[in-house]
Amino acid sequence: MEEPVIDKKESNKSENTSKKMSIRSILGGDILANDFFKRQTRLLILIMILTVLYIDNRYSSQQELIEIDRLKKELDDVKYDALTRSSELMEKSRQSKIEEYISTQGSELQTATNRPYLIVIDEK
């Protein structure tokens, strides 16, 4: 029986590939000169661009969430301020407070003693 003939170039190529894939070649940057990386350059660049876009998108989303939280706190402060002012207005516009204010100012205005009446016009 005959043994299959293996091309010496093929066997040398596989031996060189296994030799080149050492830690030293990876850290030294020789791995980037490998034929696989040369063929896949466009794909690797696309993956890097998409990774950068993903990181940028996440950062932007976090910044928007921080801004939303800040605006919610500001809105709560404004609501409480509006509630306080509304309460103060209700307090100052009570009839007893108005009568007290008028009496301290020395005005001749007085509270009406007779009840208001309704004028009805009959259209017959």
Side-chain angles (χ1 to χ4, degrees), residues 10-70:
E10 240 180 74
S11 64
N12 285 341
K13 191 174 185 181
S14 64
E15 288 176 11
N16 287 341
T17 306
S18 64
K19 288 180 183 177
K20 285 185 178 180
M21 290 301 220
S22 67
I23 300 290
R24 186 174 184 185
S25 69
I26 293 173
L27 294 177
D30 295 336
I31 194 169
L32 296 176
N34 193 345
D35 189 38
F36 172 77
F37 286 105
K38 287 180 182 177
R39 286 181 291 160
Q40 302 299 330
T41 304
R42 290 183 183 151
L43 177 64
L44 293 172
I45 290 173
L46 177 65
I47 290 172
M48 289 190 309
I49 289 172
L50 291 176
T51 303
V52 169
L53 290 175
Y54 175 76
I55 292 169
D56 180 60
N57 187 29
R58 182 173 177 154
Y59 178 77
S60 297
S61 298
Q62 286 177 341
Q63 293 300 318
E64 287 177 1
L65 287 174
I66 291 170
E67 181 72 13
I68 288 170
D69 287 342
R70 185 187 67 78

